[in-house]
Amino acid sequence: MVRFASYNIQYGFGLDGFYDLERITESLAGADVIALQEVTRGFSKNRYADMVTDLAALFPDHFWVYGPACDLHVGRVNDQAAPRNTRLQFGNMVLSRWPILSTRTLLLPRSRTLSKLNIQRGATEAVIDLPGGARRVYSVHLDHVSNDERIRQLNHLNDRINAFTREGGSVTGAAEFDIDELPLPEDYIVMGDFNMLPESPEYCTFAGASDGYYGRTARIGTPIDALASLNAYAPGSYSWMDPKDHGKRMHLDYCFVSCDLESRLISASVDTTATGSDHFPVWVEIDI
């Protein structure tokens, strides 16, 4: 059994407004594979913390990769000239108890806005050497402003997921560089902050629409919502809470799996006791 967890950690700030990576680590204790979103470097809001290095140190038993979808020059730090080549990076991280054989950051479609922040979003792909064989894991963070943008992003993401074996992941023909050929696993787990509600148009774009008579039919190439498959959605289920109004809650975070993994799902839940972010960790156990 492998325990997967996904957590949007809001660049380290909890419901109380305090920056604390250690309580994030504590809430993820026991997770074998972790997908994190809103991981930053050089960000003024958390005093330019290198969250990647700090999180890696807090998970010494895990391998890790980082995919910064947004990467900007920083000119000044605390009203002084920043050290040369200081960068503001905003992206996703994957941590695993087992080696991460390869990684790619898939940049998702975006459009230019005028009055709302719209940064480049991405999905960090990691091929992990799990005990039962290599599997793909994706840490995903979608646009928060527009459902039209999310639909475009999900269509693009699903195309890339399904084209993985045809494209060959990060590298093929590796023998030319005396590198072992990498596995190209069919099965995948997609986790993250999708900024969409269950059964919304975006959700149905990714997971397929539910027929009025047959319900939602599993199809090759269409991801399956682990919580829905295990009937783990409680009335009023949520994975995000407004720090200023705890009565405002939404379910925005998910774990989707490929069809062949649905029969291996053991449990799925949201840990609403965690306080390290305005989101809450989504946990899924899979018999791998």
Side-chain angles (χ1 to χ4, degrees):
M1 181 187 72
V2 178
R3 302 187 74 199
F4 296 83
S6 178
Y7 200 3
N8 178 329
I9 58 174
Q10 196 190 205
Y11 35 91
F13 288 97
L15 285 171
D16 56 7
F18 288 99
Y19 181 86
D20 185 351
L21 293 187
E22 290 189 2
R23 63 179 167 184
I24 290 172
T25 308
E26 292 168 0
S27 67
L28 294 170
D32 299 309
V33 178
I34 303 167
L36 300 177
Q37 302 85 47
E38 293 198 19
V39 180
T40 67
R41 282 172 163 156
F43 192 23
S44 61
K45 287 186 178 293
N46 56 18
R47 297 185 179 182
Y48 306 93
D50 183 346
M51 294 182 69
V52 178
T53 299
D54 294 342
L55 286 165
L58 289 169
F59 289 95
D61 297 328
H62 288 67
F63 299 87
W64 61 270
V65 293
Y66 177 57
C70 180
D71 191 322
L72 308 173
H73 169 71
V74 176
R76 300 190 67 80
V77 172
N78 298 326
D79 294 326
Q80 296 184 1
R84 183 175 295 274
N85 209 45
T86 299
R87 311 294 302 176
L88 163 57
Q89 295 181 329
F90 182 97
N92 311 314
M93 197 168 179
V94 176
L95 302 101
S96 166
R97 293 192 190 277
W98 301 279
I100 300 173
L101 303 177
S102 68
T103 185
R104 295 187 299 175
T105 295
L106 307 177
L107 301 182
L108 302 177
R110 62 178 298 274
S111 55
R112 181 179 177 181
T113 55
L114 297 178
S115 60
K116 295 289 185 181
L117 176 69
N118 188 16
I119 63 176
Q120 177 65 60
R121 306 290 179 133
T124 301
E125 174 189 275
V127 177
I128 300 179
D129 190 19
L130 294 175
R135 301 291 196 281
R136 284 179 277 154
V137 171
Y138 295 84
S139 181
V140 178
H141 191 193
L142 299 188
D143 176 71
H144 70 294
V145 174
S146 165
N147 61 347
D148 290 336
E149 187 116 305
R150 289 191 290 274
I151 287 173
R152 288 192 293 270
Q153 292 175 342
L154 287 167
N155 280 325
H156 180 80
L157 176 61
N158 205 30
D159 285 346
R160 298 279 60 75
I161 289 172
N162 286 314
F164 172 82
T165 56
R166 184 175 71 250
E167 293 175 348
S170 293
V171 62
T172 52
E176 183 178 353
F177 284 173
D178 296 323
I179 300 172
D180 292 337
E181 290 292 339
L182 295 172
L184 299 175
E186 295 276 358
D187 289 337
Y188 56 81
I189 300 97
V190 186
M191 302 183 286
D193 174 9
F194 288 74
N195 276 311
M196 65 185 182
L197 299 174
E199 303 302 331
S200 63
E202 311 97 279
Y203 179 97
C204 293
T205 292
F206 199 54
S210 180
D211 180 81
Y213 185 80
Y214 291 104
R216 184 170 280 108
T217 302
R219 298 179 185 275
I220 297 298
T222 300
I224 292 172
D225 181 351
L227 273 78
S229 176
L230 295 172
N231 297 313
Y233 283 109
S237 178
Y238 63 95
S239 68
W240 171 85
M241 177 187 292
D242 188 334
K244 297 179 181 179
D245 179 2
H246 289 190
K248 187 176 182 180
R249 305 170 177 180
M250 290 186 283
H251 191 100
L252 303 176
D253 304 82
Y254 300 84
C255 174
F256 294 93
V257 300
S258 54
C259 287
D260 288 345
L261 291 180
E262 183 178 22
S263 63
R264 295 177 174 269
L265 292 171
I266 298 172
S267 69
S269 61
V270 180
D271 178 14
T272 54
T273 67
T275 60
S277 171
D278 57 347
H279 288 252
F280 301 95
V282 175
W283 288 81
V284 175
E285 295 179 321
I286 306 178
D287 181 15
I288 296 179

